[in-house]
Amino acid sequence: MAGGDETRSKARGNATETGRVVPAKDGTVDGNLHQLEAQHGILGIVLLLFCGTVSSYLCTYLPDALTIADLGSHPTAFIAERAWDNLQVLNDFGPKPTGSRANELGAADYLRREIEKVQATKHAAQQVETEHQTISGAYPIAFMGNPLTSVYRNAQNIVVRLAGSDEAANALMLNCHYDTVASSPGASDDGGSCVVMLEILRVLSRAPERTRHSIVFLFNGAEETPLQAAHGFVSQHRWAAEVRAFLNLESAGSGGKEQLFQSGPQHPWLVAAYERAVRHPAAQTVSEEIFQSGLIPSDTDFRIFRDFGHVPGMDFAHTINGYRYHTRYDNIDFLTLPVLQRTGDNILSLTREMANSEELARLADDRTLSEGYSVFFDFLGFFFFHYSAATGRVLNFAVALLSLVVPFLELSGSVRRVGERSIVREALVGLLGTCSGIVASVLTVLLIANRLDAAGRAMSWFSTPYLILGLYGCPVLLAHCFSHRFCNYLLEVKKTPLNLTQTIRARMIGVNLFWALLIVVLTLANIRSAYIFTVILLFSLLSTILTSVLGYQRKTLRWLGVHLGFQVLAMLWATNFYHLQLKLFVPITGRMGASTNPEYLIGVLVACGGILCTSYLFPLIGLLKQASELTARLTVFALIAFLLACCTQVGFPYRDHSNGDPSVQRHYVTHTLQVAHDSDGKVVENSGFLLREMDRNALRVIRGVAKPQEVTPMRQMDSCRTMLFCGVPFYSVWHQIRFNNYWLEGPPPALEKDTLPTFELEKVAQLASTTRQYTFNIGHRHQTCVQSALIIAPKPGVRLVKWNIMATVPDKLEFNGQRAHFVLITYGLADDSLWRVTFDFAYDPAAVKEADKLFDVSWINTYWEYKDQHTEQFNALIEKFPEWAHVIPSVAVVNTTSY
């Protein structure tokens, strides 16, 4: 959008596109760039694409990794190659879900052996203590507002304490989890974090001096279950009382930078320590607010340390290539040494900083350290900024005000008082053009999203995200172009004291007004992410100030050069967020279920990114001779993208590993046996396969796999009328309640019944006239990867008032119109002894007779690693899925009885 003939500024008259001539303040005619050639509009798009390419590169840029050969020159550095060697061993164990032999015996024993090597090679000045914690416990937790009781039996933690020099019992904790989900080796989630911690322990243990404070390394063996081993540590381990702060290392992808996406809560000193220590920052407050809003279907041990341990900390995760998260492709073949090196460099540096900090010593007594929220962000990984939320409010309001006052005063000085009213008017035109562009772009992407989904082309961009630029990016730009042109046509004034350039600059004030209003609203709502827009507005303000200082007000080309120069910085900033959001949310659409059209999410994200990146470019359309050439080319680009998405293989959403960059469709398939005991004591059995709809396109694949049979939607199953919670293997609030499931009739699974956890009634005792106690024994004698669930539904007039699982009884969970208490039970190490549980029910004698049964219970057992026992029919069903599908098979037994 830059260019033109500056010699026109020497003219004595200022001819605009309406033929008006406007004298300047000094009696001369203001420099006029009558109009730019149409191709300059294309240059603006090229500039935007260039900035996007640069920011994309910076999003994924990683430093070179150090090898063992570098030890001589870097004796105190993090060596990625040593961590890589550890990761290869953990990866070779394969999937390591809690309870599996690979997790409880293989991975746990390997970590213990590596820690023993650390003890053997530590410096004489260091003290390394190790404890192997086997824990059982329970706690209440809620997901998506749905309560459950989380129970763990004989889960494992491997805990190492590197003693500090300070006698006071203050410690920093580093946490990772070595367990994985079923069917995934978990090289990134979270084996990579565990080997990073091992190498940090190795480096610090060989230092000649101790850190001031102790460092606790928690390798926990039950995070995916969810979050259970962390609870066992904070509630039961003796070193937990020493922990004053923690660093949690997680992953939701298999590469890129480790993003700091949660901090605190509050405790601004944590972010200050991050700023002092980390050489390669990657942290955004907006990530924290998005994650804590519940938009992302994940959780981390951060929640347990915060809510149950009441300890502040920082949460880190890799988010690039989320396609591989929780799939068979989360293995070492798709991870790189530089990922480990960057993570290790930053976390080692941060660990040293915090373990020697004054704040950690004062934290127990100085409450001021825990007060206040922070605004923090990095600029393209080069610079890191942080300040208090209170300071952020002042900065936001100040920039919002100055962005309106400064350009207005600067522009009004050029046209004297006779033009001030025209400046205000054109500013309102700019505001209207911006707002109407936003409305038009959002409506456009929603219409496109609706039509693509209706045509069966949802998620065509899933494996080829660049299609998003054509499918949604170009229509967004077109919507803004037409909106600004329409506002210019509708509200143009024939006679005005402003020349064309001044008119455009006045409309820029309208864009400033839009961002200023948005910033004020967000700031008043205590949304710290307003800083994103404050930075955009700040670049515009700095552009105006520099233009005034250099005296370029009447030198159009030079003003345009300054404006675009600052807009390059603004577009680098804005496109960085575009990449961060799409690299996060595009893979997430593959595991967000089918009830919501993912096209809406991506379209709205692009619409928001469009205005963020280009709001200060659209008013420049008024300088073009023919904007139609720009809009025509954008239309061509959009049509090409639509053809690729709808008519070629490019638009097929999924890829196998053949191209080295797999992006799979996920499928959970559970071979299920339903056993119902009716009121007459008869046993009714049914069996089949439960298939889960994980994304928008999954149902078509499920129906294709099931042919020639038909699948039945879960809530239409016959068992929904006869069994508690439809008789489905209910184990996950997220998957069972939010996602659609389908039932395919089939033969029963093959079961080694001796390995099933047992749930047997021992006795019934009448505690009072209206209270009855039931005692059950639960047993898990075999080392198998099995997870149990109890669904307890009291009859009308009956309440569960007490149990010995924990001190409180959480609220009921609602599913399929039924309400029941939901208990999830995870087993780690096998145990020959029985676990005795008691349930006390209070009942209303007027509604319940003494001989009546008081409650229904569903006892569910799900085997996650049971491949050796799959039936031929089950294997045949799994093999029907295409190569680009990732299938997580399981076998489950649902047993419903009344007591």
Side-chain angles (χ1 to χ4, degrees):
M1 294 181 185
D5 185 3
E6 194 171 355
T7 59
R8 297 183 184 178
S9 66
K10 308 299 183 181
R12 302 300 297 174
N14 183 16
T16 68
E17 70 274 27
T18 60
R20 62 181 181 268
V21 179
V22 183
K25 178 179 179 181
D26 58 2
T28 66
V29 175
D30 188 5
N32 172 50
L33 188 67
H34 177 68
Q35 284 179 327
L36 294 175
E37 297 297 331
Q39 61 264 28
H40 290 95
I42 304 301
L43 291 178
I45 303 300
V46 171
L47 186 63
L48 174 62
L49 292 175
F50 170 77
C51 292
T53 302
V54 172
S55 61
S56 177
Y57 171 77
L58 294 175
C59 273
T60 54
Y61 172 75
L62 299 171
D64 293 332
L66 296 180
T67 66
I68 295 174
D70 296 310
L71 268 173
S73 56
H74 301 85
T76 62
F78 182 94
I79 305 297
E81 189 177 23
R82 289 194 298 200
W84 185 264
D85 291 340
N86 296 139
L87 183 59
Q88 284 185 315
V89 177
L90 288 177
N91 181 81
D92 289 345
F93 284 118
K96 298 173 284 296
T98 303
S100 66
R101 290 180 176 272
N103 189 67
E104 307 306 326
L105 305 180
D109 287 345
Y110 175 72
L111 290 172
R112 284 196 294 267
R113 290 196 304 271
E114 288 301 303
I115 293 166
E116 288 173 0
K117 293 178 184 178
V118 171
Q119 289 177 312
T121 58
K122 69 179 180 63
H123 194 278
Q126 300 292 342
Q127 178 183 343
V128 180
E129 303 173 74
T130 305
E131 287 198 359
H132 176 202
Q133 185 188 26
T134 302
I135 64 271
S136 298
Y139 58 95
I141 196 168
F143 292 97
M144 301 169 57
N146 298 285
L148 65 91
T149 301
S150 183
V151 177
Y152 49 95
R153 304 292 299 171
N154 298 318
Q156 296 187 87
N157 282 324
I158 300 168
V159 194
V160 185
R161 182 175 180 271
L162 191 62
S165 60
D166 198 327
E167 294 182 359
N170 299 310
L172 170 70
M173 181 177 70
L174 275 66
N175 174 71
C176 73
H177 67 90
Y178 59 87
D179 68 309
T180 73
V181 295
S183 302
S184 175
S188 180
D189 181 28
D190 195 28
S193 298
C194 287
V195 300
V196 164
M197 279 175 47
L198 266 178
E199 178 62 10
I200 291 174
L201 172 62
R202 194 178 286 124
V203 171
L204 293 178
S205 69
R206 296 176 183 179
E209 295 182 2
R210 296 186 184 185
T211 55
R212 177 178 176 181
H213 307 292
S214 299
I215 305 173
V216 174
F217 296 81
L218 173 58
F219 301 87
N220 87 64
E223 188 269 352
E224 300 287 3
T225 47
L227 318 178
Q228 293 172 326
H231 181 270
F233 174 81
V234 298
S235 63
Q236 300 179 43
H237 201 282
R238 61 190 178 96
W239 290 339
E242 299 180 13
V243 175
R244 300 286 176 261
F246 69 88
L247 305 177
N248 185 50
L249 309 185
E250 260 291 356
S251 183
S254 65
K257 304 175 180 180
E258 79 297 333
Q259 296 280 339
L260 170 60
F261 69 98
Q262 287 193 97
S263 177
Q266 301 194 53
H267 289 268
W269 70 273
L270 290 169
V271 176
Y274 180 88
E275 187 271 336
R276 293 193 302 268
V278 173
R279 290 184 298 164
H280 312 292
Q284 297 288 345
T285 301
V286 66
S287 299
E288 178 175 282
E289 293 192 323
I290 288 175
F291 188 83
Q292 294 179 354
S293 70
L295 288 174
I296 298 176
S298 295
D299 217 331
T300 75
D301 286 326
F302 182 98
R303 178 179 182 179
I304 299 299
F305 300 139
R306 177 195 65 197
D307 295 349
F308 294 94
H310 308 293
V311 181
M314 287 184 273
D315 214 355
F316 298 88
H318 302 98
T319 58
I320 301 299
N321 286 320
Y323 303 105
R324 302 164 193 163
Y325 172 71
H326 284 188
T327 73
R328 64 182 180 275
Y329 294 115
D330 184 10
N331 61 52
I332 200 167
D333 295 334
F334 296 96
L335 201 62
T336 63
L337 276 168
V339 173
L340 299 182
Q341 186 65 54
R342 180 200 152 88
T343 304
D345 285 344
N346 283 344
I347 301 302
L348 174 58
S349 180
L350 183 57
T351 299
R352 283 172 170 152
E353 172 66 30
M354 294 180 65
N356 290 295
S357 66
E358 180 65 27
E359 291 91 343
L360 210 65
R362 293 166 39 207
L363 199 57
D365 303 317
D366 189 350
R367 292 189 176 182
T368 59
L369 288 172
S370 64
E371 296 174 353
Y373 288 91
S374 294
V375 177
F376 56 89
F377 56 90
D378 71 279
F379 186 81
L380 302 176
F382 294 118
F383 308 102
F384 185 73
F385 303 90
H386 71 97
Y387 42 82
S388 68
T391 300
R393 292 171 67 89
V394 175
L395 286 174
N396 291 348
F397 289 140
V399 171
L401 179 61
L402 291 174
S403 68
L404 301 178
V405 174
V406 171
F408 178 81
L409 293 178
E410 187 270 334
L411 190 56
S412 62
S414 301
V415 297
R416 298 182 179 178
R417 297 183 64 182
V418 295
E420 291 179 354
R421 181 172 294 182
S422 295
I423 294 173
V424 173
R425 187 181 188 282
E426 294 299 338
L428 293 176
V429 173
L431 174 64
L432 179 61
T434 302
C435 293
S436 61
I438 292 172
V439 173
S441 64
V442 170
L443 292 176
T444 299
V445 298
L446 292 179
L447 177 62
I448 293 171
N450 179 271
R451 292 298 85 200
L452 282 174
D453 184 59
R457 305 303 298 182
M459 299 175 63
S460 59
W461 34 257
F462 187 67
S463 295
T464 51
Y466 68 83
L467 283 177
I468 295 173
L469 295 175
L471 291 174
Y472 293 110
C474 289
V476 164
L477 297 181
L478 284 168
H480 282 283
C481 288
F482 288 130
S483 295
H484 278 271
R485 292 187 67 189
F486 180 74
C487 288
N488 179 71
Y489 172 80
L490 191 66
L491 301 173
E492 183 183 32
V493 176
K494 299 298 182 182
K495 294 183 179 181
T496 173
L498 305 179
N499 64 29
L500 178 59
T501 303
Q502 291 167 337
T503 298
I504 299 302
R505 295 181 64 197
R507 291 178 182 176
M508 295 288 189
I509 299 177
V511 181
N512 288 357
L513 179 58
F514 167 78
W515 290 120
L517 291 172
L518 180 61
I519 289 167
V520 169
V521 169
L522 294 177
T523 303
L524 292 176
N526 293 319
I527 297 176
R528 290 171 290 146
S529 298
Y531 74 90
I532 298 173
F533 315 112
T534 300
V535 173
I536 293 290
L537 198 52
L538 179 62
F539 284 129
S540 175
L541 176 60
L542 293 176
S543 172
T544 300
I545 293 173
L546 186 59
T547 296
S548 180
V549 170
L550 297 177
Y552 290 169
Q553 296 92 328
R554 290 195 292 270
K555 298 178 179 178
T556 305
L557 286 180
R558 295 185 181 181
W559 159 75
L560 192 57
V562 171
H563 174 73
L564 291 178
F566 277 97
Q567 282 310 298
V568 166
L569 295 175
M571 285 189 287
L572 286 171
W573 168 256
T575 54
N576 178 64
F577 286 100
Y578 171 86
H579 293 303
L580 287 176
Q581 297 305 310
L582 286 188
K583 288 179 187 297
L584 174 65
F585 281 106
V586 166
I588 283 178
T589 60
R591 54 188 175 92
M592 64 184 291
S595 58
T596 301
N597 181 3
E599 298 287 337
Y600 291 140
L601 171 64
I602 299 303
V604 170
L605 284 176
V606 175
C608 294
I611 187 62
L612 190 67
C613 297
T614 57
S615 60
Y616 288 97
L617 296 184
F618 291 124
L620 299 179
I621 290 174
L623 297 176
L624 297 177
K625 283 184 178 179
Q626 289 185 335
S628 57
E629 184 172 341
L630 171 62
T631 56
R633 295 192 183 188
L634 288 173
T635 302
V636 170
F637 294 150
L639 290 176
I640 291 173
F642 276 100
L643 288 173
L644 290 173
C646 298
C647 304
T648 72
Q649 189 65 20
V650 174
F652 185 73
Y654 313 103
R655 302 286 187 272
D656 59 22
H657 65 281
S658 59
N659 68 344
D661 194 17
S663 46
V664 296
Q665 186 182 62
R666 301 159 190 261
H667 291 273
Y668 284 78
V669 184
T670 305
H671 198 175
T672 306
L673 174 65
Q674 298 173 322
V675 182
H677 299 261
D678 62 19
S679 57
D680 298 327
K682 293 182 180 180
V683 177
V684 179
E685 293 188 358
N686 189 33
S687 60
F689 306 96
L690 191 73
L691 301 99
R692 189 166 308 135
E693 192 177 22
M694 293 292 290
D695 73 20
R696 193 70 169 180
N697 298 313
L699 182 56
R700 281 180 291 176
V701 176
I702 290 172
R703 285 173 173 165
V705 167
K707 283 183 178 179
Q709 294 174 270
E710 293 293 329
V711 292
T712 303
M714 178 178 62
R715 288 174 175 80
Q716 297 178 21
M717 294 165 53
D718 293 338
S719 57
C720 284
R721 296 185 293 273
T722 59
M723 297 183 72
L724 190 59
F725 280 23
C726 289
V728 301
F730 200 101
Y731 70 90
S732 165
V733 169
W734 183 268
H735 289 114
Q736 266 74 33
I737 290 183
R738 175 163 180 159
F739 294 168
N740 295 322
N741 290 256
Y742 295 88
W743 180 257
L744 177 65
E745 293 286 347
L751 293 167
E752 292 183 338
K753 295 189 176 181
D754 291 341
T755 68
L756 278 170
T758 57
F759 180 74
E760 298 174 345
L761 180 64
E762 178 183 311
K763 63 178 180 178
V764 180
Q766 193 74 28
L767 301 182
S769 59
T770 60
T771 306
R772 193 182 302 169
Q773 183 181 80
Y774 293 76
T775 302
F776 293 87
N777 289 318
I778 296 176
H780 173 243
R781 295 185 174 90
H782 295 270
Q783 193 63 63
T784 53
C785 180
V786 62
Q787 200 170 30
S788 300
L790 269 175
I791 301 174
I792 304 166
K795 300 282 189 180
V798 181
R799 292 180 299 115
L800 177 60
V801 294
K802 184 181 179 182
W803 57 13
N804 69 342
I805 293 177
M806 59 184 186
T808 59
V809 179
D811 290 337
K812 297 176 183 177
L813 177 73
E814 184 172 347
F815 180 77
N816 193 45
Q818 299 169 315
R819 292 178 57 81
H821 302 280
F822 178 49
V823 182
L824 180 68
I825 307 172
T826 301
Y827 309 97
L829 292 168
D831 189 358
D832 286 336
S833 62
L834 296 175
W835 173 38
R836 178 174 293 178
V837 294
T838 61
F839 303 96
D840 295 358
F841 292 92
Y843 55 92
D844 180 4
V848 180
K849 298 179 181 179
E850 186 173 345
D852 286 348
K853 295 182 178 181
L854 300 187
F855 64 100
D856 295 320
V857 62
S858 188
W859 175 242
I860 303 165
N861 289 284
T862 303
Y863 290 94
W864 288 108
E865 292 292 333
Y866 209 57
K867 294 182 177 63
D868 293 341
Q869 300 299 322
H870 289 176
T871 64
E872 291 183 7
Q873 294 88 341
F874 193 18
N875 285 327
L877 181 68
I878 294 171
E879 289 174 1
K880 284 185 177 182
F881 284 90
E883 184 64 25
W884 41 259
H886 173 70
V887 180
I888 303 95
S890 56
V891 175
V893 181
V894 182
N895 199 311
T896 301
T897 311
S898 296
Y899 291 95

